[in-house]
């Protein structure tokens, strides 16, 4: 192992970290918004909307993300109504296609996570809220959304970490994030072990920080689940 080479490699890869973070943040943000819409359609009383949501979840959870990314990056340009539309200047950009494919994919998984969070809400809490006059938006804001998010947070944190690792696939559609730059360095130096060790260290540290942030958020949102001390201190 050449330490000087690894330090130089780490510096080069860290320069590509902002692109990885941008892909991650944008895909999680837009994917989360889309997931909320899919959940609303999934639990609605409208048969068409419910079936559409079921089909969306089936397609994006049942097919590989890599194929979805290739279909968006290479396939959309084959449709004339897209290629000659106002959307084409954006859709021909690799970064936009990568964010779009990542967001669409994570929306399918996140929608199911949020839906099971909704199903975990005790019926008595909803009945109690309705008994005091809550309904519609107020019920969702004060009861449904906070409780469902707390129940969904452990599973959703896993999905967030998966999205960090999934950004590595963007290198296959010519987006130069950490993995893409690592592959370019390997093609120039033929030193696979050192380069990929540096890239793995970056992903490990990034995922560790995200998991710590999610654990702290879960701790703040669930004070009622904290274990009581075995020997409580008497109050004076």
């Amino acid at each position: 192992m050449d330490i000087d080479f690894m330090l130089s490699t780490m510096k080069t890869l860290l320069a590509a970290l902002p692109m990885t973070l941008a892909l991650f943040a944008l895909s999680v943000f837009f994917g989360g918004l889309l997931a909320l819409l899919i959940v609303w359609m999934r639990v609605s009383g409208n048969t068409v909307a419910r079936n559409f949501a079921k089909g969306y979840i089936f397609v994006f959870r049942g097919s590989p993300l890599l194929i979805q990314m290739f279909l968006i990056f290479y396939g959309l340009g084959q449709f004339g109504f897209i290629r000659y539309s106002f959307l084409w200047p954006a859709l021909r950009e690799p970064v936009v296609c990568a964010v779009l494919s990542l967001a669409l994919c994570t929306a399918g998984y996140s929608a199911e996570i949020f839906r099971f969070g909704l199903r975990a809400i005790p019926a008595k809490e909803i009945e109690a809220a309705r008994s005091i006059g809550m309904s519609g938006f107020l019920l969702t804001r004060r009861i449904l959304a906070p409780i469902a998010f707390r129940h969904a947070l452990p599973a959703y944190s896993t999905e967030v970490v998966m999205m960090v690792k999934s950004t590595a696939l963007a290198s296959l559609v010519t987006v130069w994030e950490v993995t893409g730059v690592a592959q370019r360095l390997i093609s120039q130096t033929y030193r696979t072990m050192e380069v990929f060790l540096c890239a793995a260290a970056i992903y490990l540290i990034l995922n560790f920080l995200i998991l710590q942030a999610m654990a702290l958020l879960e701790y703040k949102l669930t004070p009622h689940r904290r274990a009581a001390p075995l020997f409580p201190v008497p109050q004076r």
Side-chain angles (χ1 to χ4, degrees):
M1 294 292 179
D2 187 341
I3 302 300
D4 292 334
F5 173 76
M6 293 183 70
L7 291 176
S8 175
T9 298
M10 183 66 74
K11 182 179 179 180
T12 303
L13 295 180
L14 286 175
L17 183 58
M19 176 58 71
T20 295
L21 293 176
L23 290 172
F24 163 71
L26 291 173
S27 60
V28 169
F29 175 74
F30 290 113
L33 293 179
L34 181 57
L36 294 177
L37 177 61
I38 296 298
V39 170
W40 175 79
M41 297 172 67
R42 182 73 172 81
V43 300
S44 68
N46 188 295
T47 304
V48 176
R50 188 168 62 251
N51 289 334
F52 175 83
K54 288 181 180 179
Y56 180 95
I57 293 170
F58 172 76
V59 169
F60 284 95
R61 290 179 69 196
S63 58
L65 173 58
L66 180 60
I67 293 178
Q68 298 170 21
M69 192 172 292
F70 280 163
L71 286 175
I72 291 174
F73 183 68
Y74 295 108
L76 291 181
Q78 298 182 11
F79 298 97
F81 66 92
I82 293 179
R83 191 168 60 253
Y84 298 109
S85 69
F86 68 95
L87 296 174
W88 182 240
L91 292 177
R92 67 184 179 184
E93 296 296 330
V95 174
V96 175
C97 292
V99 170
L100 180 60
S101 57
L102 289 169
L104 291 174
C105 183
T106 191
Y109 288 92
S110 301
E112 283 295 271
I113 293 172
F114 295 157
R115 186 172 71 89
F116 282 105
L118 282 174
R119 294 181 61 181
I121 301 175
K124 60 182 180 180
E125 298 191 19
I126 300 176
E127 293 173 359
R130 287 175 174 169
S131 68
I132 61 174
M134 285 190 187
S135 62
F137 178 75
L138 183 60
L139 176 63
T140 301
R141 183 173 65 88
R142 298 292 297 273
I143 304 296
L144 298 181
I147 298 177
F149 184 72
R150 286 199 296 266
H151 284 295
L153 190 56
Y156 186 62
S157 63
T158 302
E159 174 61 19
V160 170
V161 170
M162 291 298 297
M163 288 309 299
V164 174
K165 295 186 287 186
S166 296
T167 58
L169 295 177
S171 62
L172 299 177
V173 292
T174 68
V175 177
W176 298 113
E177 40 72 62
V178 171
T179 302
V181 173
Q183 291 174 339
R184 186 166 59 182
L185 283 175
I186 290 172
S187 67
Q188 296 171 353
T189 63
Y190 300 100
R191 304 178 76 164
T192 305
M193 182 64 71
E194 293 98 326
V195 175
F196 274 153
L197 280 177
C198 292
I202 291 175
Y203 283 111
L204 283 173
I205 294 172
L206 183 58
N207 284 329
F208 174 78
L209 294 176
I210 291 174
L211 284 175
Q212 292 302 308
M214 299 294 282
L216 179 60
L217 178 60
E218 183 179 0
Y219 178 82
K220 294 293 185 181
L221 293 178
T222 56
H224 58 286
R225 294 182 181 176
R226 301 172 194 170
L230 295 177
F231 303 100
V233 179
Q235 298 294 328
R236 294 183 179 179

